[in-house]
């Protein structure tokens, strides 16, 4: 199964993709996470992406489609993937269609996580992640059971993203509305667009996605 989670910054793509990975064994392909790893490793792609990401702009289509095409060829992807953060432009969506056709794979559904812009700054600026296992948390909306201890791995070091500032979120939101939201009619036209209420509580969003998956 190949699913796309489509939504604004802070809509909950990463949160729900982690849950889908844990429950269904699908592999979360987060292009944001891949780029952040490339930046911290100082690879050629990382060097190109760093300043772009810190501004909240989009990294070039060529780089992104190359990363996803290579990743889909790896053996763990044969059971299915959740695309989290890709595609983000019409050029990326078209490139995805042709790479999936070449690889004899097909897209099952695109799930739009619908949110109001008003909640997204609070979501993004309150976000933090376990430095050991990458589990995601929020200062207000998703706290670990024991403060300062990761529920998943027991780790006690956490990190915050350098692009999670109120200013950068505004630019990221503009990129979303100008370049990514036009993909909604593109996928609607293909008859594979589904929607969930990204304003609902995290658990409720998970239930809505699970309900959709039953019919896919
Ligand atoms: P990326 O990492 O993809 O960032 P993004 O799209 O801005 O999305 P986020 O990761 O901020 O949000 P999310 O929807 O995953 O929210 P989360 O679940 O964490 O991309 C970063 C950058 O990389 C881009 O700006 C760009 O430069 C570059 N890039 C990446 N892909 C690219 C591409 N394809 N092309 C070009 N450039 C690319 O949730 C947020 C917080 O809210 C969490 O703390 C969570 O606990 C909480 N939360 C989640 N759901 C709820 C809920 N329902 N209620 C309350 N709180 C919630
Ligand atoms: Mg994310």
């Amino acid at each position: 199964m190949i699913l796309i989670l489509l939504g604004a910054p802070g809509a909950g793509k990463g949160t729900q993709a982690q849950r889908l990975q844990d429950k269904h064994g699908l592999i979360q392909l987060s292009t944001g996470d891949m780029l952040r790893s490339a930046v911290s490793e100082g690879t050629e792609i990382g060097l190109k992406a760093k300043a772009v990401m810190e501004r909240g702009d989009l990294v070039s289509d060529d780089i992104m489609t190359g990363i996803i095409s290579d990743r889909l060829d790896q053996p763990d992807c044969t059971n299915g993937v959740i695309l989290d953060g890709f595609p983000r432009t019409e050029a990326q969506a078209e490139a995805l269609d042709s790479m999936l056709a070449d690889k004899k794979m097909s897209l099952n559904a695109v799930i739009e996580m619908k949110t109001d812009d008003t909640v997204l700054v609070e979501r993004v600026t309150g976000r933090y992640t376990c430095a050991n296992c990458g589990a995601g948390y929020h200062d207000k909306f998703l706290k670990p059971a024991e403060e300062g201890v990761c529920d998943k791995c027991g780790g006690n070091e956490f990190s915050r993203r350098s692009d999670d500032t109120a200013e950068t979120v505004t630019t990221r939101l503009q990129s979303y509305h100008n370049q990514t939201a036009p993909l909604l009619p593109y996928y609607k036209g293909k008859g594979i667009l589904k929607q969930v209420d990204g304003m609902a509580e995290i658990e409720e969003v998970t239930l809505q996605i699970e309900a959709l998956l039953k019919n896919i």
Side-chain angles (χ1 to χ4, degrees):
M1 165 149 14
I2 300 184
L3 295 177
I4 293 175
L5 294 184
L6 201 68
K13 304 179 296 291
T15 303
Q16 298 299 332
Q18 281 186 354
R19 289 173 167 226
L20 287 165
Q21 175 164 274
D22 293 346
K23 181 155 185 213
H24 297 284
L26 300 169
I27 301 293
Q28 175 191 10
L29 300 187
S30 159
T31 42
D33 288 348
M34 293 175 198
L35 290 170
R36 281 183 285 280
S37 299
V39 170
S40 65
E41 286 160 17
T43 65
E44 199 183 326
I45 287 176
L47 293 174
K48 283 186 187 152
K50 188 170 188 290
V52 179
M53 292 172 78
E54 279 173 2
R55 284 199 306 272
D57 289 332
L58 294 183
V59 175
S60 80
D61 292 331
D62 286 352
I63 289 181
M64 299 318 303
T65 51
I67 289 179
I68 285 292
S69 179
D70 290 348
R71 188 64 186 84
L72 285 173
D73 289 337
Q74 289 171 25
D76 60 334
C77 291
T78 48
N79 288 337
V81 300
I82 311 139
L83 294 170
D84 159 11
F86 181 93
R88 248 177 162 95
T89 64
E90 289 193 38
Q92 291 179 20
E94 285 161 8
L96 178 66
D97 284 346
S98 65
M99 83 175 75
L100 291 178
D102 288 347
K103 295 178 199 298
K104 311 258 183 296
M105 296 168 137
S106 62
L107 187 54
N108 298 82
V110 178
I111 301 178
E112 179 194 5
M113 309 190 62
K114 279 178 85 74
T115 45
D116 295 345
D117 288 359
T118 48
V119 300
L120 301 177
V121 170
E122 186 181 22
R123 285 205 193 165
V124 165
T125 54
R127 168 173 47 200
Y128 61 98
T129 303
C130 172
N132 180 49
C133 74
Y137 295 99
H138 191 279
D139 292 328
K140 189 163 151 193
F141 304 126
L142 186 62
K143 299 178 180 181
E146 188 182 339
E147 198 185 328
V149 181
C150 176
D151 292 339
K152 275 198 172 170
C153 75
N156 51 21
E157 283 189 34
F158 298 87
S159 62
R160 290 183 191 256
R161 282 168 44 179
S162 60
D163 64 342
D164 277 350
T165 61
E167 302 76 55
T168 312
V169 176
T170 306
T171 311
R172 284 158 56 196
L173 259 175
Q174 280 167 0
S175 302
Y176 176 75
H177 287 299
N178 295 339
Q179 298 185 75
T180 309
L183 300 186
L184 297 167
Y186 178 82
Y187 288 120
K188 191 171 184 198
K190 290 176 179 284
I192 53 171
L193 182 66
K194 319 273 176 197
Q195 284 165 335
V196 294
D197 178 12
M199 298 294 284
E201 288 187 4
I202 293 173
E203 197 56 45
E204 167 61 22
V205 179
T206 305
L207 292 174
Q208 290 186 18
I209 294 176
E210 290 298 330
L212 287 178
L213 291 186
K214 290 206 172 84
N215 298 317
I216 292 170

